[in-house]
């Protein structure tokens, strides 16, 4: 009898190595015992010698194994090895035979792990904290299976620009902005009690809750109660359910209206009627508004001090900006920050915003592809930009790219013709202007042209720095 000791949790690499050794020695499933637990080496007493000989499996089996290994059932490794043994014995199409009892059980495990991954992706909530003055995000989650290592790459891809930690009762995942590592178990008490972002998220959840479609059974099926205590929006659910009948009756009695997003001009007029008296009041209107372009999860507001000498205006938020709620934090924003530093411009002393306040995109698979806003969409957002610049009152406004120029001038002006100092006549000459390329333009260039274009961009920003200093007196 061969005893194979694998590390606790989901030891996919250890299992693969064990299978190679067992197959090389011809050990049948009934001759192997898999045990999960700490051990001095990979294998315990009686384990087969390590083998580098590959084990060729059908694609369906190769895809099934990593989805079953994280399951909590202690028999999972033995069942998988039994499947592999039968495949190598000639049953090459066994993974496709759903009626086979072994395959049926393994597919059930695969589905359970898949559901657990989905729940973690959907229901995990980060909370902002600070460690030694550095912003970090921490989350607590209690998975049903050993899925932490399988789930963590999803959060790396989605929150690559943030530094975060996911704590679970079995282990932790830590992303420092460059590398992902795994650590010891955590405790719920290590997660901060809440932050300002949670209040905003709860408000968004309440505003999108449709009382006419309240279905408690479906809600519990899609969002089981065991996850509620880790999700800020669930605090609002009891009150929303109690109010559902009254809100539904009010909706029925209300006069039908065209959705705001289909009448952007009407939406802008309604916002203008509110006549905000400060930048904070203007931003509050923007937060509450419906996007005037397709997509977006939130409005991305301008960032920087009121009274900044220089304001930079881009096209629209990108994918990372939409996720984080801050302007110029994605690849183009990082390039802009580097160029500003080389030109002697303090980004923190400048005001950065966009002509369009929401991320317009098209979904292609799991990716959100940027879509250029139309002239009409830029025009709809222009009221926001004008009022924003009125409140900030910069001495110099830098238009980054053609869309920003269109928003500031009302005209489509080629960047190559107007690059440099410029008077934005539509703004009654109350701001000195400067036109240059958008940093995303540099990212799209072939490698051989990037260095020269980047040097020209930094040159533009040096002129901006000198002009801003001159205008500021």
């Amino acid at each position: 009898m061969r005893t194979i000791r694998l590390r606790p949790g989901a030891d996919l690499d250890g299992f693969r190595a064990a299978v190679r050794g067992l197959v090389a020695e011809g050990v049948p499933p009934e001759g192997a015992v898999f045990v999960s637990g700490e051990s001095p080496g990979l294998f315990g007493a009686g384990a087969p010698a390590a083998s580098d000989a590959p084990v060729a499996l059908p694609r369906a089996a190769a895809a099934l194994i990593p989805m079953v290994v994280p399951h909590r059932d202690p028999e999972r490794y033995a069942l998988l090895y039994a499947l592999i043994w039968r495949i190598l014995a000639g049953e090459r199409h066994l993974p496709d035979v759903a009626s086979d009892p072994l395959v049926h059980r393994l597919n059930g495990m695969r589905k359970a792990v898949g559901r657990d991954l989905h729940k973690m992706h959907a229901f995990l909530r980060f909370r902002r904290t600070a460690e030694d003055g550095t912003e970090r995000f921490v989350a607590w989650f209690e998975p049903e299976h050993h899925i932490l290592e399988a789930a963590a790459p999803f959060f790396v891809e989605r929150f690559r620009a943030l530094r975060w930690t996911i704590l679970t009762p079995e282990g932790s995942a830590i992303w420092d902005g460059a590398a992902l590592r795994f650590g010891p178990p955590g405790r719920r008490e290590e997660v901060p009690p809440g932050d300002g972002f949670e209040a905003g998220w709860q408000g968004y959840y309440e505003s999108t809750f449709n009382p006419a479609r309240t279905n408690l059974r479906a809600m519990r099926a899609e969002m089981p109660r065991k996850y509620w205590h880790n999700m800020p929006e669930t605090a609002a659910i009891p009150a929303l359910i109690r109010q559902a009948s009254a809100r539904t009756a009010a909706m029925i009695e209300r006069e039908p209206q065209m959705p705001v997003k289909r009448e952007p001009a009407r939406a802008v007029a309604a916002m203008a009627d509110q006549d905000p008296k400060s930048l904070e009041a203007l931003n509050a209107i923007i937060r509450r508004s419906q996007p005037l372009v397709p997509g977006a999860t939130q409005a991305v507001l301008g960032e920087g001090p009121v009274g900044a000498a220089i304001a930079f205006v881009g096209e629209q938020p990108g994918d990372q900006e939409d996720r984080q709620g801050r302007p110029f934090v994605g690849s183009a924003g990082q390039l802009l920050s580097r160029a500003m530093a080389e030109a002697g411009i303090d980004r923190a002393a400048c005001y950065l915003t966009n002509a369009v306040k929401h991320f317009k995109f098209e979904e292609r698979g799991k990716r959100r592809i940027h879509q250029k806003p139309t002239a009409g969409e830029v025009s709809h957002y222009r009221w926001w930009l004008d009022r924003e610049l009125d409140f900030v009152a910069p001495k110099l406004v830098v238009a980054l790219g053609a869309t920003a120029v269109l928003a500031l001038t009302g005209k489509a002006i080629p960047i190559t013709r107007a690059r440099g100092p410029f008077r934005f006549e539509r703004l009654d000459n109350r701001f000195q202007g400067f036109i240059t390329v958008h940093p995303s333009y540099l990212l799209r260039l072939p490698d051989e042209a990037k260095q020269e274009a980047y040097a020209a961009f930094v040159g533009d920003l040096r002129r901006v720095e000198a002009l801003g200093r001159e205008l500021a007196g």
Side-chain angles (χ1 to χ4, degrees), residues 91-163:
E91 297 183 64
R92 298 290 297 178
H93 299 291
L94 179 60
D96 299 322
V97 183
S99 60
D100 184 274
L102 174 61
V103 175
H104 177 75
R105 185 172 176 185
L106 289 172
N107 277 332
M109 292 182 181
R110 173 184 60 80
K111 291 177 182 178
V113 170
R115 284 194 298 270
D116 207 22
L117 284 167
H118 169 73
K119 296 292 192 279
M120 188 168 183
H121 293 164
F123 299 148
L124 184 139
R125 297 288 183 267
F126 285 105
R127 288 174 174 171
R128 183 185 288 111
T129 185
E131 298 176 2
D132 301 325
T134 302
E135 184 180 59
R136 192 167 190 84
F137 294 83
V138 185
W140 169 260
F141 195 79
E142 300 171 59
E144 294 183 3
H145 303 286
H146 309 295
I147 62 168
L148 180 62
E149 293 186 17
F154 168 86
F155 296 101
V156 171
E157 183 63 27
R158 189 167 189 183
F159 304 111
R160 187 175 295 276
L162 305 181
R163 288 172 171 79

Coordinates of all heavy atoms in Angstrom, one line a residue, residues 91-163:
E91 N -10.1 3.7 -21.3 CA -11.4 4.4 -21.4 C -11.1 5.9 -21.6 O -11.4 6.7 -20.8 CB -12.1 4.1 -20.1 CG -12.5 2.7 -19.8 CD -13.3 2.6 -18.5 OE1 -14.4 3.1 -18.4 OE2 -12.8 1.9 -17.5
R92 N -10.6 6.2 -22.8 CA -10.2 7.6 -23.1 C -11.4 8.5 -23.1 O -11.2 9.7 -22.8 CB -9.6 7.6 -24.5 CG -8.3 6.8 -24.6 CD -7.2 7.4 -23.8 NE -6.8 8.7 -24.3 CZ -5.8 9.5 -23.8 NH1 -5.2 9.0 -22.7 NH2 -5.5 10.6 -24.2
H93 N -12.6 8.0 -23.3 CA -13.8 8.9 -23.4 C -14.6 8.9 -22.1 O -15.7 9.4 -22.0 CB -14.7 8.5 -24.5 CG -14.0 8.6 -25.9 ND1 -13.7 9.8 -26.4 CD2 -13.6 7.7 -26.8 CE1 -13.1 9.6 -27.6 NE2 -13.1 8.3 -27.8
L94 N -14.0 8.4 -21.0 CA -14.7 8.2 -19.8 C -15.2 9.6 -19.2 O -16.3 9.7 -18.8 CB -13.8 7.6 -18.7 CG -14.4 7.4 -17.3 CD1 -15.7 6.6 -17.4 CD2 -13.4 6.8 -16.4
P95 N -14.4 10.7 -19.3 CA -14.9 12.0 -18.8 C -16.1 12.5 -19.4 O -16.8 13.3 -18.8 CB -13.7 12.9 -19.0 CG -12.5 12.0 -19.1 CD -13.0 10.8 -19.7
D96 N -16.4 12.0 -20.6 CA -17.6 12.4 -21.3 C -18.9 11.6 -21.0 O -20.0 11.9 -21.5 CB -17.4 12.4 -22.9 CG -16.3 13.3 -23.3 OD1 -16.2 14.4 -22.7 OD2 -15.5 13.0 -24.2
V97 N -18.7 10.5 -20.2 CA -19.8 9.6 -19.9 C -20.4 10.1 -18.6 O -20.0 9.7 -17.5 CB -19.3 8.2 -19.8 CG1 -20.5 7.2 -19.5 CG2 -18.6 7.7 -21.0
A98 N -21.4 11.0 -18.7 CA -21.9 11.7 -17.5 C -22.7 10.7 -16.6 O -22.8 10.9 -15.4 CB -22.9 12.8 -17.9
S99 N -23.1 9.5 -17.2 CA -23.9 8.6 -16.4 C -23.0 7.7 -15.6 O -23.6 7.0 -14.7 CB -24.8 7.7 -17.4 OG -24.0 7.0 -18.3
D100 N -21.7 7.6 -15.8 CA -20.9 6.8 -15.0 C -20.9 7.3 -13.6 O -20.7 8.5 -13.4 CB -19.4 6.8 -15.6 CG -18.5 5.9 -14.8 OD1 -17.9 6.4 -13.8 OD2 -18.3 4.8 -15.3
P101 N -21.0 6.5 -12.6 CA -21.1 6.9 -11.2 C -19.9 7.7 -10.7 O -20.0 8.8 -10.0 CB -21.2 5.6 -10.4 CG -21.8 4.7 -11.3 CD -21.3 5.0 -12.7
L102 N -18.7 7.3 -11.1 CA -17.5 8.1 -10.8 C -17.5 9.4 -11.4 O -17.2 10.5 -10.7 CB -16.2 7.3 -11.2 CG -14.9 8.0 -11.0 CD1 -14.7 8.3 -9.5 CD2 -13.7 7.1 -11.5
V103 N -17.7 9.5 -12.7 CA -17.8 10.8 -13.4 C -18.9 11.7 -12.8 O -18.7 12.9 -12.7 CB -18.0 10.5 -14.9 CG1 -18.1 11.9 -15.7 CG2 -16.8 9.7 -15.5
H104 N -20.0 11.1 -12.6 CA -21.1 11.9 -12.0 C -20.7 12.5 -10.7 O -21.0 13.7 -10.4 CB -22.3 11.0 -11.8 CG -23.5 11.7 -11.2 ND1 -24.3 12.5 -11.9 CD2 -24.0 11.6 -9.9 CE1 -25.2 13.0 -11.0 NE2 -25.1 12.5 -9.9
R105 N -20.0 11.8 -9.8 CA -19.6 12.3 -8.5 C -18.6 13.4 -8.7 O -18.6 14.5 -8.0 CB -19.1 11.2 -7.6 CG -18.8 11.7 -6.2 CD -18.4 10.5 -5.3 NE -18.0 11.0 -4.0 CZ -17.6 10.2 -3.0 NH1 -17.5 8.9 -3.2 NH2 -17.2 10.7 -1.9
L106 N -17.6 13.2 -9.6 CA -16.6 14.2 -9.8 C -17.2 15.5 -10.4 O -16.7 16.6 -10.0 CB -15.5 13.6 -10.7 CG -14.6 12.6 -10.0 CD1 -13.7 11.9 -11.0 CD2 -13.8 13.2 -8.9
N107 N -18.1 15.3 -11.3 CA -18.8 16.5 -11.9 C -19.5 17.3 -10.8 O -19.6 18.5 -10.9 CB -19.7 16.1 -13.0 CG -18.9 15.9 -14.3 OD1 -17.9 16.5 -14.6 ND2 -19.5 15.0 -15.2
G108 N -20.1 16.6 -9.9 CA -20.8 17.3 -8.8 C -19.8 18.1 -8.0 O -20.1 19.2 -7.6
M109 N -18.6 17.5 -7.7 CA -17.6 18.3 -7.0 C -17.1 19.5 -7.8 O -17.0 20.6 -7.3 CB -16.4 17.4 -6.7 CG -16.7 16.3 -5.7 SD -15.2 15.3 -5.4 CE -15.8 14.1 -4.3
R110 N -17.0 19.3 -9.1 CA -16.5 20.4 -10.0 C -17.6 21.5 -9.9 O -17.2 22.7 -9.8 CB -16.4 19.9 -11.4 CG -16.1 21.0 -12.4 CD -16.1 20.5 -13.8 NE -17.3 19.9 -14.2 CZ -18.4 20.6 -14.6 NH1 -18.4 21.9 -14.6 NH2 -19.5 19.9 -15.0
K111 N -18.8 21.2 -10.0 CA -19.9 22.2 -9.9 C -19.9 23.0 -8.6 O -20.1 24.2 -8.5 CB -21.2 21.6 -10.2 CG -21.4 21.2 -11.7 CD -22.8 20.5 -11.9 CE -22.9 20.0 -13.3 NZ -24.2 19.3 -13.5
A112 N -19.7 22.2 -7.5 CA -19.7 22.8 -6.2 C -18.5 23.8 -6.0 O -18.7 24.9 -5.5 CB -19.6 21.7 -5.1
V113 N -17.3 23.4 -6.5 CA -16.2 24.3 -6.5 C -16.4 25.6 -7.4 O -16.1 26.7 -7.0 CB -14.9 23.6 -6.9 CG1 -13.7 24.6 -7.1 CG2 -14.5 22.5 -5.9
G114 N -17.0 25.3 -8.5 CA -17.3 26.4 -9.4 C -18.3 27.4 -8.8 O -18.1 28.6 -8.9
R115 N -19.3 26.9 -8.1 CA -20.3 27.8 -7.4 C -19.6 28.6 -6.3 O -19.8 29.8 -6.1 CB -21.4 27.0 -6.8 CG -22.4 26.5 -7.9 CD -23.7 26.0 -7.2 NE -23.5 24.9 -6.3 CZ -23.5 23.6 -6.8 NH1 -23.8 23.3 -8.0 NH2 -23.3 22.6 -5.9
D116 N -18.7 27.9 -5.6 CA -17.9 28.6 -4.5 C -17.1 29.7 -5.0 O -17.0 30.8 -4.5 CB -17.1 27.5 -3.7 CG -16.9 27.9 -2.3 OD1 -17.7 28.7 -1.7 OD2 -15.9 27.5 -1.7
L117 N -16.4 29.4 -6.2 CA -15.6 30.5 -6.8 C -16.5 31.7 -7.2 O -16.1 32.8 -7.0 CB -14.9 29.9 -8.0 CG -13.6 29.0 -7.7 CD1 -13.2 28.3 -9.0 CD2 -12.5 29.9 -7.2
H118 N -17.6 31.3 -7.8 CA -18.5 32.4 -8.2 C -18.9 33.3 -7.0 O -19.0 34.5 -7.1 CB -19.7 31.8 -8.9 CG -20.8 32.8 -9.1 ND1 -20.7 33.8 -10.1 CD2 -22.0 33.0 -8.5 CE1 -21.8 34.5 -10.0 NE2 -22.6 34.1 -9.1
K119 N -19.3 32.6 -5.9 CA -19.7 33.3 -4.7 C -18.6 34.2 -4.2 O -18.8 35.3 -3.8 CB -20.2 32.3 -3.6 CG -21.4 31.5 -4.0 CD -22.6 32.3 -4.1 CE -23.9 31.5 -4.1 NZ -24.2 31.0 -5.5
M120 N -17.4 33.7 -4.2 CA -16.3 34.5 -3.7 C -16.0 35.7 -4.6 O -15.8 36.8 -4.2 CB -15.0 33.7 -3.6 CG -13.8 34.4 -2.9 SD -12.5 33.3 -2.5 CE -11.4 34.4 -1.7
H121 N -16.1 35.5 -5.9 CA -15.9 36.6 -6.9 C -17.0 37.7 -6.7 O -16.7 38.9 -6.8 CB -15.9 36.1 -8.3 CG -14.8 35.2 -8.6 ND1 -14.8 34.4 -9.8 CD2 -13.6 35.0 -8.0 CE1 -13.6 33.8 -9.8 NE2 -12.9 34.1 -8.8
A122 N -18.2 37.2 -6.4 CA -19.4 38.1 -6.4 C -19.5 38.8 -5.0 O -20.0 39.9 -4.9 CB -20.6 37.4 -6.7
F123 N -19.3 38.1 -3.9 CA -19.7 38.5 -2.6 C -18.5 39.0 -1.7 O -18.8 39.5 -0.6 CB -20.4 37.4 -1.8 CG -21.7 36.9 -2.5 CD1 -22.1 35.6 -2.5 CD2 -22.4 37.8 -3.3 CE1 -23.3 35.2 -3.1 CE2 -23.6 37.4 -4.0 CZ -24.0 36.1 -3.9
L124 N -17.3 38.9 -2.1 CA -16.2 39.4 -1.3 C -16.2 40.9 -1.4 O -16.3 41.5 -2.5 CB -14.9 38.8 -1.8 CG -13.6 39.2 -1.0 CD1 -12.7 38.0 -0.9 CD2 -12.9 40.3 -1.7
R125 N -16.0 41.6 -0.2 CA -16.0 43.0 -0.2 C -14.7 43.5 0.5 O -14.4 43.1 1.7 CB -17.2 43.5 0.6 CG -18.6 43.2 -0.1 CD -18.8 44.0 -1.3 NE -20.1 43.7 -1.9 CZ -20.3 42.8 -2.9 NH1 -19.3 42.1 -3.4 NH2 -21.5 42.6 -3.4
F126 N -14.0 44.4 -0.1 CA -12.8 45.0 0.5 C -13.2 46.2 1.3 O -14.1 46.9 1.0 CB -11.8 45.4 -0.6 CG -11.1 44.3 -1.3 CD1 -11.4 43.8 -2.5 CD2 -10.1 43.6 -0.6 CE1 -10.7 42.8 -3.1 CE2 -9.4 42.6 -1.2 CZ -9.7 42.1 -2.4
R127 N -12.4 46.5 2.3 CA -12.5 47.7 3.1 C -11.2 48.4 3.2 O -10.1 47.7 3.3 CB -13.0 47.3 4.5 CG -14.5 46.9 4.6 CD -14.9 46.4 6.0 NE -16.3 46.1 6.0 CZ -16.9 45.5 7.0 NH1 -16.2 45.2 8.1 NH2 -18.2 45.3 7.0
R128 N -11.2 49.7 3.0 CA -10.0 50.5 3.0 C -9.4 50.6 4.4 O -10.1 50.8 5.4 CB -10.3 51.9 2.4 CG -9.1 52.7 2.2 CD -9.4 54.1 1.8 NE -9.8 54.1 0.4 CZ -11.1 54.4 0.0 NH1 -12.0 54.6 0.9 NH2 -11.4 54.4 -1.3
T129 N -8.1 50.5 4.5 CA -7.4 50.8 5.7 C -6.0 51.4 5.4 O -5.7 51.6 4.2 CB -7.2 49.4 6.5 OG1 -6.5 49.7 7.7 CG2 -6.3 48.5 5.7
A130 N -5.3 51.7 6.4 CA -3.9 52.4 6.1 C -2.9 51.7 7.0 O -3.2 51.5 8.2 CB -4.0 53.8 6.4
E131 N -1.8 51.3 6.4 CA -0.7 50.7 7.2 C 0.5 51.5 7.0 O 1.0 51.6 5.8 CB -0.5 49.2 6.7 CG -1.7 48.3 6.9 CD -1.4 46.9 6.4 OE1 -0.3 46.7 5.8 OE2 -2.3 46.1 6.5
D132 N 1.0 52.2 8.0 CA 2.2 53.0 7.9 C 2.0 54.1 6.9 O 2.9 54.4 6.1 CB 3.5 52.2 7.6 CG 3.7 51.2 8.6 OD1 3.5 51.4 9.8 OD2 4.2 50.1 8.3
G133 N 0.7 54.6 6.8 CA 0.4 55.7 5.9 C 0.2 55.2 4.5 O -0.1 56.0 3.6
T134 N 0.2 53.9 4.2 CA 0.0 53.4 2.9 C -1.4 52.8 2.8 O -1.8 52.0 3.6 CB 1.0 52.2 2.6 OG1 2.3 52.8 2.7 CG2 0.8 51.7 1.2
E135 N -2.1 53.2 1.7 CA -3.5 52.7 1.6 C -3.5 51.2 1.2 O -2.7 50.8 0.4 CB -4.2 53.5 0.4 CG -5.6 53.1 0.2 CD -6.3 53.9 -0.9 OE1 -5.8 53.8 -2.0 OE2 -7.3 54.6 -0.6
R136 N -4.4 50.5 1.9 CA -4.5 49.0 1.6 C -5.9 48.6 1.8 O -6.7 49.3 2.5 CB -3.6 48.2 2.6 CG -3.5 46.8 2.2 CD -2.4 46.1 3.0 NE -2.1 44.8 2.4 CZ -1.4 44.5 1.4 NH1 -0.7 45.5 0.8 NH2 -1.2 43.3 0.9
F137 N -6.3 47.5 1.2 CA -7.7 47.1 1.2 C -7.7 45.6 1.8 O -6.8 44.8 1.4 CB -8.3 47.1 -0.1 CG -8.5 48.5 -0.7 CD1 -7.5 49.2 -1.3 CD2 -9.7 49.2 -0.5 CE1 -7.6 50.4 -1.7 CE2 -9.9 50.5 -1.0 CZ -8.8 51.1 -1.6
V138 N -8.6 45.4 2.7 CA -8.6 44.1 3.4 C -10.0 43.5 3.3 O -11.0 44.2 3.4 CB -8.2 44.2 4.9 CG1 -8.2 42.8 5.5 CG2 -6.9 44.9 5.0
A139 N -10.1 42.2 3.1 CA -11.4 41.5 3.0 C -11.4 40.2 3.8 O -10.4 39.6 3.9 CB -11.8 41.3 1.5
W140 N -12.6 39.8 4.3 CA -12.7 38.5 5.0 C -13.7 37.7 4.2 O -14.8 38.2 3.8 CB -13.3 38.8 6.4 CG -13.7 37.5 7.1 CD1 -15.0 37.1 7.3 CD2 -12.9 36.6 7.7 NE1 -15.0 35.9 8.0 CE2 -13.7 35.5 8.3 CE3 -11.5 36.4 7.9 CZ2 -13.2 34.4 8.9 CZ3 -11.0 35.3 8.6 CH2 -11.9 34.3 9.1
F141 N -13.4 36.4 4.0 CA -14.3 35.5 3.3 C -14.2 34.1 3.9 O -13.1 33.7 4.3 CB -14.0 35.5 1.8 CG -15.1 34.9 1.0 CD1 -16.3 35.6 0.7 CD2 -15.1 33.6 0.5 CE1 -17.3 35.1 -0.1 CE2 -16.1 33.0 -0.2 CZ -17.2 33.8 -0.5
E142 N -15.3 33.4 3.9 CA -15.3 32.0 4.4 C -15.8 31.1 3.3 O -17.0 30.8 3.2 CB -16.3 31.9 5.6 CG -15.9 32.9 6.8 CD -16.9 33.0 7.9 OE1 -17.2 31.9 8.4 OE2 -17.4 34.1 8.1
P143 N -14.9 30.6 2.5 CA -15.3 29.7 1.4 C -15.7 28.3 1.9 O -15.2 27.9 3.0 CB -14.0 29.6 0.6 CG -12.9 29.9 1.5 CD -13.4 30.9 2.5
E144 N -16.5 27.6 1.2 CA -16.9 26.3 1.5 C -15.8 25.3 1.2 O -15.7 24.2 1.8 CB -18.2 25.9 0.8 CG -19.4 26.7 1.3 CD -20.7 26.3 0.6 OE1 -20.6 25.3 -0.2 OE2 -21.7 26.9 0.8
H145 N -15.0 25.6 0.2 CA -13.9 24.7 -0.3 C -12.6 25.4 -0.2 O -12.5 26.6 0.1 CB -14.3 24.1 -1.6 CG -15.6 23.4 -1.7 ND1 -15.8 22.2 -1.2 CD2 -16.8 23.8 -2.2 CE1 -17.1 21.8 -1.3 NE2 -17.7 22.8 -1.9
H146 N -11.5 24.7 -0.6 CA -10.2 25.2 -0.6 C -9.9 26.0 -1.9 O -9.0 25.6 -2.7 CB -9.2 24.1 -0.4 CG -9.5 23.1 0.7 ND1 -9.5 23.5 2.0 CD2 -9.8 21.8 0.7 CE1 -9.8 22.4 2.8 NE2 -10.0 21.4 2.0
I147 N -10.5 27.1 -2.0 CA -10.5 27.8 -3.3 C -9.6 29.1 -3.3 O -9.5 29.8 -4.3 CB -11.9 28.2 -3.8 CG1 -12.6 29.2 -2.8 CG2 -12.8 27.0 -4.0 CD1 -13.8 29.8 -3.3
L148 N -9.0 29.4 -2.2 CA -8.3 30.7 -2.1 C -7.3 30.9 -3.2 O -7.2 31.9 -3.9 CB -7.6 30.9 -0.7 CG -6.9 32.2 -0.5 CD1 -7.8 33.4 -0.6 CD2 -6.2 32.2 0.8
E149 N -6.4 29.9 -3.4 CA -5.4 30.0 -4.4 C -5.9 30.1 -5.8 O -5.4 30.7 -6.7 CB -4.4 28.8 -4.3 CG -3.6 28.9 -3.0 CD -2.5 27.8 -3.0 OE1 -2.1 27.3 -4.0 OE2 -2.0 27.5 -1.9
A150 N -7.1 29.4 -6.1 CA -7.7 29.4 -7.4 C -8.4 30.7 -7.6 O -8.5 31.2 -8.8 CB -8.7 28.3 -7.5
A151 N -8.9 31.4 -6.6 CA -9.7 32.6 -6.7 C -8.9 33.8 -6.8 O -9.2 34.8 -7.4 CB -10.7 32.7 -5.6
A152 N -7.7 33.8 -6.1 CA -6.9 35.0 -6.0 C -6.5 35.7 -7.3 O -6.5 36.9 -7.4 CB -5.6 34.7 -5.1
P153 N -6.1 34.9 -8.4 CA -5.7 35.6 -9.6 C -6.8 36.5 -10.2 O -6.6 37.5 -10.9 CB -5.4 34.4 -10.6 CG -5.0 33.3 -9.6 CD -5.8 33.5 -8.4
F154 N -8.1 36.1 -10.0 CA -9.2 37.0 -10.4 C -9.1 38.4 -9.8 O -9.3 39.4 -10.5 CB -10.6 36.3 -10.0 CG -11.8 37.2 -10.2 CD1 -12.4 37.3 -11.4 CD2 -12.3 37.9 -9.1 CE1 -13.5 38.1 -11.5 CE2 -13.4 38.7 -9.2 CZ -14.0 38.8 -10.5
F155 N -8.8 38.4 -8.5 CA -8.8 39.7 -7.8 C -7.5 40.5 -8.2 O -7.5 41.7 -8.3 CB -8.8 39.5 -6.3 CG -10.2 39.0 -5.9 CD1 -10.3 37.6 -5.6 CD2 -11.3 39.8 -5.8 CE1 -11.5 37.1 -5.2 CE2 -12.5 39.2 -5.4 CZ -12.6 37.9 -5.1
V156 N -6.4 39.8 -8.5 CA -5.2 40.4 -9.1 C -5.5 41.1 -10.4 O -5.2 42.3 -10.6 CB -4.1 39.4 -9.3 CG1 -2.9 40.1 -10.0 CG2 -3.6 38.9 -7.9
E157 N -6.2 40.4 -11.3 CA -6.6 41.0 -12.6 C -7.5 42.2 -12.4 O -7.4 43.2 -13.1 CB -7.2 39.9 -13.4 CG -7.6 40.4 -14.8 CD -6.3 40.8 -15.7 OE1 -5.2 40.3 -15.4 OE2 -6.5 41.6 -16.5
R158 N -8.5 42.1 -11.5 CA -9.5 43.1 -11.3 C -9.0 44.3 -10.6 O -9.4 45.5 -10.8 CB -10.7 42.6 -10.7 CG -11.9 43.5 -10.7 CD -13.2 42.8 -10.3 NE -14.3 43.7 -10.5 CZ -15.6 43.4 -10.2 NH1 -15.8 42.2 -9.7 NH2 -16.6 44.2 -10.5
F159 N -8.1 44.1 -9.6 CA -7.7 45.2 -8.7 C -6.1 45.3 -8.7 O -5.5 45.4 -7.7 CB -8.2 45.0 -7.3 CG -9.7 44.9 -7.2 CD1 -10.3 43.7 -6.8 CD2 -10.5 46.0 -7.4 CE1 -11.6 43.6 -6.7 CE2 -11.9 45.9 -7.4 CZ -12.4 44.7 -7.0
R160 N -5.6 45.2 -9.9 CA -4.1 45.2 -10.1 C -3.4 46.4 -9.5 O -2.3 46.4 -9.0 CB -3.8 45.0 -11.5 CG -2.3 44.8 -11.8 CD -2.1 44.5 -13.3 NE -2.7 43.3 -13.7 CZ -2.1 42.1 -13.6 NH1 -0.9 42.0 -13.1 NH2 -2.7 41.0 -14.0
A161 N -4.1 47.6 -9.6 CA -3.4 48.8 -9.1 C -3.5 49.0 -7.6 O -2.9 49.9 -7.1 CB -4.1 50.0 -9.8
L162 N -4.3 48.2 -6.9 CA -4.5 48.3 -5.5 C -3.6 47.3 -4.7 O -3.1 46.4 -5.3 CB -5.9 48.1 -5.1 CG -7.0 48.9 -5.8 CD1 -8.4 48.5 -5.2 CD2 -6.7 50.4 -5.6
R163 N -3.3 47.6 -3.4 CA -2.7 46.7 -2.6 C -3.7 46.1 -1.6 O -4.4 46.8 -0.9 CB -1.6 47.4 -1.8 CG -0.4 47.7 -2.6 CD 0.6 48.6 -1.9 NE 1.9 48.8 -2.7 CZ 2.0 49.6 -3.7 NH1 1.0 50.4 -4.0 NH2 3.2 49.7 -4.3

